[in-house]
Amino acid sequence: MKGTLAQVRSYERSVQLLMANQFTINLGFYMLMPYLAAHLSGTLGLAGWLVGLVLGVRNFSQQGMFLVGGALADRLGCKPLIVAGCLLRTAGFAALGLVDALPALLAASAATGLAGALFNPAVRAYLAAEAGERRLEAFALFNVFYQAGILLGPVVGMALTGVGFRLTCLVAAGIFALLSLVQLRALPARGGTAGVPGAAGDRAGLLAQWREVLTNRPFLLFSGAMIGSYVLSFQVYLALPLEVKRLGGEGRSGTAAVALLFAVSGLSTILGQTRVTAWCKARMAPGRALATGLVIMGLAFLPLLAATALPVPAGGPARWLLAALPPALTALLLAVGTMTAYPFEMDTIVRLCGDRLVATHYGLYNTVCGIGITLGNLLTGAALDAARAAGLPALPWTALLLLGLTCAAALRALHRTGRLAPAGGPEVAMN
């Protein structure tokens, strides 16, 4: 960790602030969101479909507005969008704890989603611009802070929610209010592509920005190939906990096994991200690193696939180990695959857009991957149900393994044909 902190201090103050901001954003978000469904269904007594509606509105408002948020960041500058997003999330989180009428809950949920659509593309574009030639390492450090917030947030939220969910909401809102003030005072008013001619001041307007991004064929091909990485990494929140609960049960042992998943995933990233990035940068071209990351993510499901061939113990420590260890190993390998790919992924987007309309490209990329996650989760859930009904437990893990290898092959093909670096020339061929 000392080496990581030393790396952080080697960057400009603006980059340091963006990393601290992302930790705080995730801390505030994840201390509240994991407990929102229980509050809506338990404390407020909403029907299951209404809980799904409230949560779905948040997701839809974020995924659907990423492109707008990114385009506005390119036109107005990144700082205004970052501050506006944090202020909007302050209001949304406070409202979630204070209101109980469905229309107000829907409005608050939409506000929290829209907030993410405003600041997420802007933060990444700002970081890419400020880090300059060191943006690959900057995105590696960014992921460390990102994962640290995810890891710590639920722990803080659990303690606060034990007192009352309203307290959790108000503390989370207070965190975002303080974050808004800090960024308003300390974050320099630059970043994104505001300094690129024709970007922030493009007279043709938002439609021209979107048209330019939507006609960037290498970028669209890359976005499609990377969808699989998000579907696979999201299984830490979907398929793996379901498998743990299926074998380990709903009691304390099952809960402990699920907690182990998140601990393994988060801690491995915090401790290993910068080392993995340095190792890959020294030995691989960006395209090859991306493909390698997807291969690792696909192969991550081999432990679960192998476990399906073992007899399921009736109970005791042996059953808990079967419920906990293969999913934990899968979570670890998924984290390693993500560590391998993520910094190169963020850097490749900047190269594919030629440092022009960076936030708009990030916005569309987030939307494409968000849609992919939704469809992927539907198909994964269907595969899990079909596997149990047909007595074929290996089916979902085989499908996810093949998805990773297919996306890796697509990335490898894009790398070999030079489509991952059209703005800066072909990548160095390190095969």
Side-chain angles (χ1 to χ4, degrees), residues 51-265:
V51 174
L53 177 62
V54 173
L55 298 178
V57 164
R58 191 212 68 80
N59 186 67
F60 179 79
S61 64
Q62 180 161 316
Q63 301 297 337
M65 295 298 288
F66 269 133
L67 186 56
V68 175
L72 289 175
D74 279 325
R75 292 182 65 81
L76 304 176
C78 293
K79 179 179 177 176
L81 272 295
I82 295 172
V83 174
C86 287
L87 287 172
L88 189 57
R89 188 156 281 181
T90 300
F93 277 0
L96 285 174
L98 297 174
V99 304
D100 54 13
L102 182 61
L105 288 169
L106 291 172
S109 186
T112 64
L114 177 58
L118 294 180
F119 61 62
N120 274 339
V123 166
R124 285 154 179 77
Y126 197 129
L127 183 64
E130 292 295 287
E133 294 181 356
R134 298 177 65 198
R135 64 177 179 244
L136 186 69
E137 292 81 2
F139 277 119
L141 291 169
F142 182 81
N143 198 33
V144 171
F145 282 82
Y146 189 95
Q147 293 297 327
I150 292 177
L151 190 64
L152 185 60
V155 177
V156 176
M158 183 184 298
L160 293 172
T161 303
V163 178
F165 184 74
R166 175 172 293 182
L167 176 63
T168 305
C169 291
L170 294 179
V171 171
I175 287 174
F176 274 95
L178 180 61
L179 188 60
S180 302
L181 180 62
V182 170
Q183 291 177 127
L184 190 62
R185 293 175 61 88
L187 194 64
R190 59 181 184 271
T193 54
V196 179
D202 194 341
R203 297 181 180 179
L206 294 177
L207 290 178
Q209 290 178 235
W210 295 338
R211 189 181 305 114
E212 180 174 333
V213 175
L214 290 169
T215 55
N216 186 340
R217 191 163 180 267
F219 167 74
L220 295 178
L221 290 172
F222 174 72
S223 300
M226 287 300 297
I227 287 175
S229 71
Y230 286 85
V231 174
L232 295 176
S233 63
F234 198 87
Q235 300 317 307
V236 173
Y237 303 99
L238 177 64
L240 300 191
L242 289 176
E243 182 68 4
V244 168
K245 292 291 186 180
R246 182 180 74 85
L247 293 173
E250 297 289 340
R252 291 185 177 180
S253 61
T255 301
V258 171
L260 179 63
L261 292 177
F262 300 119
V264 166
S265 178

